Amino acid sequence: MTAIDTELAIRARDLRKEYGSAEGLVRAVNGVNIDIARGEALAIMGPSGCGKSTLLHLLGGLDRASGGELWMRDLRLDQMNEKQLAQLRRSEIGFVFQAFHLMDELTARENVELPVLLAGRPQSEARRRATELLGEVGLSDRADHLPSALSGGQRQRVAIARALANEPIVVLADEPTGNLDSAATLDVLELFQRIHTAGQTLVIVTHDERIAATADRLITMRDGAFVDETVLRGGTVGPLGAYLGLEG
Amino acid sequence: MSRFVLILRLAARDFRRRRGEAAMLLVVIAAATTALTLGLVLRGVTTQPYEQTRQLTAGPDAVATAFPYHSGLPSNPTGLAKVSPIAQAPDVRASSGPFPVAFPVMTAHGHTDAVLAEGRSSSAALVDQPKLTQGSWVRPGGVVVERSFADALGIHVGDQVILNGRKFHVAGIAVTAALPTSGLGFLEASSRWPNPGLVWLSKAAARSMATRAQPLGYILDVKLAQPAEAESFANRYTASGNYRNNTGTPYVMPWQAISQQDGLLMRTDQKILLIGSWLLGLLAVGSLAILVGGRMAEQRRRVGLLKAVGATPSFVASVLLAEYLGIALAAAALGLFLGRLVAPLLTSPSTAMLGTAGAPQFTVETAAIVLLAAVIVAGLATVVPALRAARTSTVDALADSSSPPKRRSWLVTRSARLPVSMLLAVRVGARRPRRVLLNVLSIAVTVSGIAALLFARATIAASQFGSDTSGSANFNQFDVGFVSKTAREDQVLLIVSILLVALAAVNAVFITRATVQDSQHTSAIMRALGVEPGQLTAGLSVAQVLPAFAGALIGIPGGFALFTLANQGGGASQPPAWWLIAVVAATVIVIAGLTSIPASWGARRPVAEILQAEAS
Ligand SMILES: Nc1ncnc2c1ncn2[C@@H]1O[C@H](COP(=O)(O)OP(=O)(O)O)[C@@H](O)[C@H]1O
Ligand SMILES: [Mg+2]
């Protein structure tokens, strides 16, 4: 049993996820080992169907692993029950989806307020937090618009604000620019960079080289496993750079 | 021809894909058609048998009675003196009697009951000669038992019965048109002898049973020159001048009153069934609306696909119609079968009249009406989606899975202050206000029905026990008496209640399923944001329970209104308050229980899978 390093945000050992059985068995995630440092920005790339989304769902407690061990800080995810996982998602994880997945009938502000309310915080606090975050993502003037009145890029920025609402340990983004045109992609890219600079741990699955280039580290997946790992210079330096240096 | 086959094949495919829904729809329509069948079958059961019996038994136009209200000489000469002269009245064309009547206690098959024992000679009477349906007429040591009474106690020819301690053989079973056998109305008011059964025996035997405490009574049957005038004849010869309010001797009953009393029982049943089938019909339409509404989203896409490959709107409508028609006709057949099966249960105790005995009129007409109703239901279920299919463009139908939910800003704002489960409940409800309304109405209809039945039950019970229970020593002594009469009404109430509750339960499950289905995406997002499965289940459940509670509250006064309406101005007795409270509480508990199943099913589906499916 490995001791938990408190500098780590996420640690996975021999993480596996299988679908189906016998002939139809799919090893969507096949023995992944990973350490993600606090404040690190990690990019994951790979061909469609190689298991990127599945891995992200496992890391975020949206799905359960078939085997292996998984920690978030000192919390052991693979031994948690549904309720504990839900509580974890509520307070420690922020998700950003390709399809945004905003609530259609809620305004931008209400969408950002939602996780704060779900965490049982008072409405006044939710409102304050939402206003602040919408300001940070540059959408103060769109706070009372419904998602249907926003562009794709704006929707994704609302979704990112929502993901940050409860100050999570890690933000997990699954192809966040997959549905966006290049102008909107740049906006979102910039936003991620800013979040990263502010010290937020990030895991981004992407097909976009430009986004991958902003990360501290790039992992390439194939058939459910890591096939390549590159430590990039473009990312943040400092304590975690040093940490990565030790590993590398 | 191949087009027709294609329609059938597509309908069958869709049917097989959703067997559960089809089965539920079948249950709903079958329940409604069962009630409809019962209502139709029992429609003509009342007056006609009385007429028939009147003819076959030389039924009287009026019956004059002198029943003793005080102790006195066992032979009650004053009573006899009051009733005898009526035979000589100018309008009287023929008469039989006066026959002596004793009031013994009868024991048979372990039952003890009050009876009216009418003394008869062995020869046939000119007026009111009861028609034997079994065995032979009275003889020394042999009694004849009135048929509905015999049925209630399970008495057959050859059985032994005990009258005031003396053994008799049952010589025969017979029917009469001279006394209302479904409850001797004029005697019911007398708490001394509530609703007795009727037997015939020899005059000597009747006389021998008279005592000072319980003297003889007398019955005189007369035929009038003008039978239609029997009511005014009765008024003329009753002590108070109004036979309806008569409390003295003689008491003269016109044949119309007997006929009406006999029909009363069936009419109450019919009333209950009529209200019941209306309520059931409403519920069935409600379930249909929920089901069809719930399927609309999916159907929209299916319709889009069909249209994309070149199907016309009318072809699409035909496929839908074929499917619903199949279900509706099967349900109607089931309803007819069940209705036919249950109808004799409701009529058999009223074997007092010839032609009633377990022979409710089940006609081709009844079958046709029920089948037609089912076809109309199928048509209605098809119209809305068919119209939509014709209207929406193929591209829209393919692209968009359902109409976007409504936004209710004030609800969103208010709910922000609520605990998580309540917040979810309010927001889920706010998305589909029409469905919430339907939910409220469905429960309100059911609870109205049940509350109306409770009011009916309380009112019937009150009328059975009468207003005057003072000086009665007999209530607890007898088994059949008033009990037999309420027993059947209870049966009808029970059948209708069961059907109502079954339909309401089906509706609750339908509504929750539909809610779970179209809040699936929302639920998945909520769970990604960290809502626990338990909270989500509770939220979805509460979203159903709140409207159910509202519906139940509406249903109580609704039931009272319904009963008052059906009772046409007759008074209503209030059931104990705790019954009504129990109905509301039970409704909430049952709905919570029923809805938590589909809700928790919905709350436990893998989130990642749902969101993935939505994204692709
Ligand atoms: N719910 C599921 N059931 C069965 N197989 C699945 C399911 N989800 C994903 N898969 C399979 O797992 C593999 C990895 O999928 P995914 O993680 O979505 O890939 P990526 O996001 O890299 O495109 C694919 O082969 C996919 O078909
Ligand atoms: Mg993916």
Side-chain angles (χ1 to χ4, degrees):
Chain A
M1 180 72 59
T2 333
I4 316 287
D5 190 323
T6 48
E7 286 302 307
L8 285 182
I10 290 174
R11 178 187 189 90
R13 286 293 171 270
D14 193 26
L15 200 60
R16 278 174 287 112
K17 177 72 182 179
E18 283 131 28
Y19 292 110
S21 58
E23 295 293 292
L25 186 76
V26 176
R27 298 183 200 278
V29 171
N30 192 10
V32 163
N33 294 310
I34 192 173
D35 291 310
I36 303 173
R38 285 202 199 182
E40 186 184 5
L42 181 77
I44 302 174
M45 295 186 82
S48 182
C50 72
K52 305 181 297 293
S53 295
T54 306
L55 175 63
L56 214 59
H57 293 151
L58 294 181
L59 297 184
L62 268 187
D63 216 342
R64 294 182 155 279
S66 313
E69 293 168 8
L70 179 61
W71 284 269
M72 182 163 292
R73 289 221 184 126
D74 51 350
L75 305 167
R76 181 88 188 256
L77 263 68
D78 54 294
Q79 289 177 347
M80 285 185 173
N81 62 28
E82 276 303 316
K83 186 172 166 171
Q84 290 168 321
L85 282 177
Q87 284 163 351
L88 185 84
R89 290 198 296 269
R90 192 153 76 206
S91 53
E92 313 296 356
I93 296 165
F95 265 104
V96 178
F97 300 96
Q98 178 176 355
F100 322 132
H101 289 319
L102 296 174
M103 306 280 275
D104 298 331
E105 74 271 30
L106 299 184
T107 62
R109 190 204 309 278
E110 286 161 354
N111 265 292
V112 181
E113 283 174 3
L114 191 58
V116 186
L117 292 174
L118 293 178
R121 318 297 307 170
Q123 199 195 6
S124 53
E125 186 183 330
R127 170 82 16 140
R128 203 166 350 101
R129 183 82 180 126
T131 308
E132 176 191 325
L133 283 167
L134 284 174
E136 279 179 31
V137 301
L139 287 175
S140 294
D141 56 335
R142 293 282 186 275
D144 294 317
H145 287 52
L146 288 175
S148 54
L150 300 176
S151 71
Q154 289 170 332
R155 286 186 214 185
Q156 196 58 301
R157 281 188 277 155
V158 172
I160 293 169
R162 181 178 66 180
L164 294 170
N166 284 334
E167 301 181 315
I169 294 178
V170 61
V171 170
L172 304 169
D174 192 354
E175 304 192 26
T177 58
N179 280 7
L180 302 180
D181 60 27
S182 57
T185 299
L186 277 181
D187 279 351
V188 169
L189 181 75
E190 229 173 87
L191 185 54
F192 272 120
Q193 243 169 339
R194 249 191 305 139
I195 296 167
H196 178 29
T197 313
Q200 176 70 55
T201 314
L202 279 174
V203 180
I204 306 178
V205 166
T206 186
H207 283 302
D208 194 318
E209 305 280 351
R210 287 171 302 173
I211 293 195
T214 67
D216 299 314
R217 189 160 45 130
L218 168 65
I219 284 171
T220 309
M221 273 183 86
R222 184 150 308 166
D223 297 332
F226 292 176
V227 290
D228 189 36
E229 185 169 333
T230 320
V231 179
L232 300 160
R233 306 282 164 219
T236 317
V237 283
L240 71 132
Y243 179 77
L244 289 168
L246 281 177
E247 279 279 293
Chain B
M1 190 60 209
S2 68
R3 200 179 112 96
F4 183 68
V5 172
L6 183 61
I7 287 174
L8 286 187
R9 195 185 297 159
L10 281 169
R13 193 67 51 79
D14 195 45
F15 177 87
R16 218 175 311 148
R17 215 153 51 92
R18 268 171 308 214
R19 254 171 267 172
E21 263 172 31
M24 288 217 174
L25 201 55
L26 191 87
V27 168
V28 167
I29 302 177
T33 48
T34 303
L36 183 63
T37 306
L38 280 176
L40 290 172
V41 158
L42 297 182
R43 202 173 37 171
V45 166
T46 43
T47 48
Q48 191 220 352
Y50 181 77
E51 290 297 327
Q52 215 174 325
T53 310
R54 218 160 98 79
Q55 277 169 19
L56 285 166
T57 61
D61 294 328
V63 179
T65 65
F67 286 168
Y69 289 97
H70 308 285
S71 53
L73 283 177
S75 64
N76 188 14
T78 44
L80 184 61
K82 278 184 175 159
V83 81
S84 301
I86 295 174
Q88 269 73 55
D91 317 30
V92 171
R93 199 160 49 76
S95 70
S96 291
F99 302 113
V101 179
F103 302 87
V105 169
M106 186 177 95
T107 309
H109 295 303
H111 288 280
T112 302
D113 231 297
V115 295
L116 225 79
E118 187 174 336
R120 288 297 187 116
S121 51
S122 52
S123 58
L126 199 61
V127 185
D128 182 28
Q129 177 52 46
K131 171 86 179 161
L132 286 162
T133 58
Q134 242 187 77
S136 55
W137 190 230
V138 296
R139 55 168 185 268
V143 297
V144 173
V145 182
E146 190 276 321
R147 186 166 71 178
S148 64
F149 186 54
D151 274 4
L153 269 71
I155 294 173
H156 302 283
V157 168
D159 288 357
Q160 198 177 62
V161 297
I162 296 169
L163 290 168
N164 274 3
R166 267 177 63 193
K167 285 179 188 166
F168 287 87
H169 281 285
V170 175
I173 308 285
V175 295
T176 177
L179 288 171
T181 42
S182 57
L184 296 165
F186 64 102
L187 274 181
E188 254 172 60
S190 134
S191 50
R192 281 157 57 95
W193 225 242
N195 196 24
L198 179 60
V199 301
W200 296 273
L201 37 53
S202 71
K203 284 181 180 171
R207 288 201 183 95
S208 74
M209 285 171 194
T211 59
R212 275 198 72 86
Q214 197 61 264
L216 282 182
Y218 291 94
I219 290 182
L220 174 73
D221 298 296
V222 299
K223 279 275 189 203
L224 300 178
Q226 302 206 297
E229 301 298 309
E231 282 175 324
S232 58
F233 176 86
N235 285 343
R236 226 174 312 143
Y237 288 94
T238 43
S240 70
N242 178 358
Y243 81 90
R244 287 180 198 278
N245 293 328
N246 189 22
T247 50
T249 306
Y251 180 94
V252 183
M253 238 189 320
W255 67 268
Q256 291 96 331
I258 302 170
S259 165
Q260 198 197 348
Q261 276 252 308
D262 255 317
L264 214 54
L265 198 58
M266 286 311 299
R267 264 198 293 282
T268 314
D269 292 353
Q270 271 180 308
K271 230 182 254 173
I272 297 169
L273 277 171
L274 195 75
I275 298 173
S277 59
W278 267 107
L279 294 178
L280 287 168
L282 278 176
L283 283 185
V285 170
S287 348
L288 210 65
I290 297 159
L291 195 82
V292 172
R295 293 180 64 169
M296 205 78 90
E298 202 181 336
Q299 253 155 8
R300 230 167 100 83
R301 204 173 282 170
R302 205 167 113 87
V303 162
L305 282 171
L306 284 173
K307 284 173 83 176
V309 297
T312 60
S314 73
F315 177 87
V316 172
S318 308
V319 175
L320 289 174
L321 186 65
E323 189 181 343
Y324 286 129
L325 205 59
I327 296 173
L329 288 179
L334 191 63
L336 281 170
F337 174 74
L338 289 176
R340 201 187 170 157
L341 209 68
V342 173
L345 284 180
L346 299 180
T347 50
S348 64
S350 126
T351 42
M353 296 292 131
L354 281 174
T356 323
Q361 278 99 347
F362 187 87
T363 57
V364 177
E365 191 198 353
T366 303
I369 291 176
V370 171
L371 287 175
L372 184 71
V375 170
I376 289 172
V377 162
L380 281 177
T382 317
V383 165
V384 182
L387 280 181
R388 284 215 178 177
R391 256 203 332 244
T392 52
S393 87
T394 308
V395 176
D396 282 355
L398 277 174
D400 174 18
S401 59
S402 65
S403 52
K406 303 274 185 310
R407 175 183 159 76
R408 295 277 181 287
S409 329
W410 63 273
L411 269 179
V412 169
T413 314
R414 291 289 141 72
S415 63
R417 290 168 216 283
L418 298 172
V420 173
S421 293
M422 294 293 278
L423 179 147
L424 294 176
V426 170
R427 293 195 178 175
V428 163
R431 287 165 64 90
R432 297 276 182 237
R434 257 178 311 178
R435 187 179 297 146
V436 172
L437 192 68
L438 211 56
N439 197 353
V440 171
L441 289 181
S442 158
I443 300 294
V445 164
T446 308
V447 174
S448 293
I450 293 170
L453 299 181
L454 290 181
F455 277 104
R457 181 76 185 72
T459 308
I460 291 167
S463 76
Q464 288 294 318
F465 282 94
S467 44
D468 170 32
T469 50
S470 59
S472 165
N474 297 328
F475 272 124
N476 300 321
Q477 192 181 330
F478 306 127
D479 296 325
V480 175
F482 54 85
V483 178
S484 68
K485 191 176 162 188
T486 34
R488 186 172 55 170
E489 264 141 17
D490 279 351
Q491 251 174 21
V492 179
L493 295 179
L494 190 69
I495 291 173
V496 173
S497 314
I498 289 173
L499 289 175
L500 279 175
V501 168
L503 270 202
V506 168
N507 273 3
V509 173
F510 273 10
I511 290 175
T512 314
R513 259 181 45 138
T515 306
V516 166
Q517 253 158 24
D518 76 15
S519 62
Q520 184 166 282
H521 184 223
T522 307
S523 302
I525 297 176
M526 290 287 194
R527 284 180 59 200
L529 294 179
V531 170
E532 297 158 22
Q535 288 175 318
L536 195 59
T537 305
L540 288 171
S541 248
V542 170
Q544 313 308 316
V545 169
L546 286 181
F549 183 61
L553 288 184
I554 296 171
I556 300 291
F560 177 74
L562 202 63
F563 176 73
T564 321
L565 202 73
N567 206 22
Q568 283 154 2
S573 299
Q574 188 176 340
W578 72 265
W579 285 12
L580 300 176
I581 295 170
V583 168
V584 174
T587 306
V588 169
I589 292 169
V590 167
I591 294 296
L594 278 177
T595 55
S596 66
I597 301 162
S600 77
W601 170 80
R604 272 162 226 286
R605 280 197 53 195
V607 184
E609 211 174 282
I610 296 166
L611 291 178
Q612 287 281 79
E614 292 281 332
S616 61

